[in-house]
């Protein structure tokens, strides 16, 4: 059975990017010419996902508006014969069935994921964080697609992993396990934001997961953990004791736009790959570099 459903948590406050995120959801901040969330949805669509549930909260209505069709705007573009733009705008509301659910209290990522239970039912599903773009070094397949292939072969949950510097492990969920191949690990440990001493490795969980629906049972039994939030990592740690779970060490780049520096780096790197601006941006950066 192919995986066709995805849950995208996007209810978080975005405190690391205040004041920009006071009234604009961080997922709506543009990277070159698209809001971040659209890159995430495009990755889903490229990977065969047809139904998406976004978990949103207070101040996040712009996400709904972005994915609903706008008759007025479409008519205006049509009247003005701006057909290329019209095509782009129409595609946004047509590319997948997108549903929204409201997380009333921000009780953590684990709680946000629990809001997907009814939508997901008894099927395996993809989970993508709405503030993170992942780009594979081989552009022929998205990271999510590669993970779905592993899921198909193993019939078990899979999580994307990225190597990080040892002095940065305390910012992430860190996983540990046994290497099966160069890029696949059988996981036996996962810890949320560990100190460098506690960390089982330097492999950070990287915003993409394929879960068997059993994750919801573990989430429902997970007490509040770090920061007094229900941590997805804690539910995964419990699930791993009873069920196989794999880590996929992807080759490529993770762009977490929820912090200022990464947001700027993301715009530069994706701008350098964007047909409309790459040439001029390169020239600009070269000139700038000479002055630094
Ligand atoms: P973050 O750890 O980035 O938290 O959440 P945050 O609140 O969004 O941002 P900061 O740390 O305050 O700057 C990781 C993902 O989980 C979602 C976020 O929207 C983001 O996609 N999330 C987090 C929820 O949907 N609900 C929550 O209660 C917490």
């Amino acid at each position: 059975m192919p995986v066709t459903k995805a849950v995208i948590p996007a209810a978080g406050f975005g405190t690391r990017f205040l004041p920009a995120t006071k009234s604009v959801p961080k997922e709506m901040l543009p990277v070159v010419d698209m809001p971040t969330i659209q890159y995430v949805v495009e990755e889903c669509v490229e990977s065969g996902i047809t139904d998406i549930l976004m978990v949103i909260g207070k101040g996040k209505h712009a996400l709904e508006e972005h994915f609903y069709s706008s008759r007025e705007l479409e008519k205006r573009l049509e009247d003005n014969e701006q057909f290329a733009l019209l095509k782009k705008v129409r595609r946004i509301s047509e590319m997948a069935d997108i549903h929204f659910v409201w997380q009333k209290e921000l009780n953590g990522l684990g709680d946000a994921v629990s809001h997907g239970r009814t939508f997901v039912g008894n099927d395996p599903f993809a989970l993508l964080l709405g503030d993170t773009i992942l780009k594979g070094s081989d552009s022929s397949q998205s990271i999510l697609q590669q993970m779905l292939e592993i899921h198909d072969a193993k019939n078990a949950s899979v999580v994307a992993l990225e190597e990080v510097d040892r002095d940065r492990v305390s910012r992430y969920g860190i996983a540990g396990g046994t290497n099966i191949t160069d890029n696949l690990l059988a996981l036996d440990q996962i810890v949320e934001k560990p100190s460098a001493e506690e960390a089982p490795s330097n492999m950070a969980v990287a915003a993409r997961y394929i879960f068997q629906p059993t994750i919801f049972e573990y989430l429902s039994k997970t007490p509040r953990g770090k920061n007094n939030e229900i941590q997805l990592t804690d539910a995964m740690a419990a699930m791993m004791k009873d069920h196989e779970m794999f880590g996929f060490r992807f080759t490529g780049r993770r762009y977490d736009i929820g912090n200022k520096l990464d947001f700027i780096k993301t715009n530069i790197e994706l701008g350098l790959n964007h047909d409309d601006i790459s040439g001029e941006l390169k020239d600009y950066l070269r000139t700038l570099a000479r002055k630094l």
Side-chain angles (χ1 to χ4, degrees), residues 224-282:
R224 287 173 186 270
K226 279 249 157 88
N227 302 335
N228 200 29
E229 291 180 341
I230 296 168
Q231 297 290 348
L232 176 63
T233 307
D234 294 345
M236 289 169 70
M239 183 165 158
M240 237 173 242
K241 292 195 177 124
D242 308 328
H243 301 272
E244 274 188 315
M245 200 178 285
F246 293 91
F248 172 54
R249 204 185 320 209
F250 69 93
T251 33
R253 281 272 284 138
R254 160 203 186 126
Y255 301 99
D256 171 6
I257 63 88
N259 72 78
K260 301 171 252 243
L261 182 60
D262 276 7
F263 174 74
I264 291 169
K265 285 183 186 172
T266 309
N267 266 289
I268 294 173
E269 287 188 31
L270 299 197
L272 286 170
N273 284 321
H274 195 289
D275 290 345
D276 293 356
I277 61 167
S278 68
E280 280 180 66
L281 181 60
K282 236 177 246 169

Side-chain angles (χ1 to χ4, degrees), residues 78-282:
E78 209 164 0
D79 291 347
N80 293 344
E81 299 186 0
Q82 291 172 290
F83 296 117
L85 272 180
L86 177 65
K87 199 170 154 203
K88 278 189 189 168
V89 165
R90 274 208 178 125
R91 185 178 142 67
I92 299 170
S93 55
E94 288 171 355
M95 59 186 166
D97 267 330
I98 304 185
H99 317 266
F100 297 88
V101 64
W102 189 264
Q103 186 189 16
K104 285 194 208 80
E105 279 176 44
L106 297 186
N107 288 326
L109 178 58
D111 178 60
V113 177
S114 299
H115 281 69
R117 191 170 193 159
T118 313
F119 165 81
V120 165
N122 293 320
D123 304 321
F125 67 102
L127 175 72
L128 301 92
L129 301 193
D131 61 356
T132 305
I133 299 171
L134 247 59
K135 288 276 174 204
S137 15
D138 164 15
S139 59
S140 67
Q141 256 196 334
S142 71
I143 308 286
L144 191 66
Q145 249 168 325
Q146 297 173 51
M147 292 172 69
L148 287 166
E149 281 178 10
I150 298 168
H151 174 266
D152 274 359
K154 302 282 184 191
N155 200 24
S157 301
V158 186
V159 47
L161 296 176
E162 179 199 33
E163 234 168 283
V164 296
D165 291 339
R166 276 269 168 192
D167 58 355
R168 288 166 51 112
V169 289
S170 63
R171 299 181 187 192
Y172 303 98
I174 301 291
T178 319
N179 282 325
I180 298 178
T181 62
D182 277 355
N183 60 10
L184 196 64
L185 285 88
L187 301 181
D188 52 28
Q189 278 188 75
I190 186 163
V191 191
E192 184 61 27
K193 301 189 172 62
S195 64
E197 298 75 45
E198 288 171 322
S201 75
N202 63 339
M203 301 302 297
V205 173
R208 300 293 184 267
Y209 315 72
I210 314 289
F211 278 123
Q212 299 285 57
T214 13
I215 187 68
F216 293 115
E217 288 163 35
Y218 290 87
L219 277 169
S220 68
K221 289 184 259 175
T222 301
R224 287 173 186 270
K226 279 249 157 88
N227 302 335
N228 200 29
E229 291 180 341
I230 296 168
Q231 297 290 348
L232 176 63
T233 307
D234 294 345
M236 289 169 70
M239 183 165 158
M240 237 173 242
K241 292 195 177 124
D242 308 328
H243 301 272
E244 274 188 315
M245 200 178 285
F246 293 91
F248 172 54
R249 204 185 320 209
F250 69 93
T251 33
R253 281 272 284 138
R254 160 203 186 126
Y255 301 99
D256 171 6
I257 63 88
N259 72 78
K260 301 171 252 243
L261 182 60
D262 276 7
F263 174 74
I264 291 169
K265 285 183 186 172
T266 309
N267 266 289
I268 294 173
E269 287 188 31
L270 299 197
L272 286 170
N273 284 321
H274 195 289
D275 290 345
D276 293 356
I277 61 167
S278 68
E280 280 180 66
L281 181 60
K282 236 177 246 169

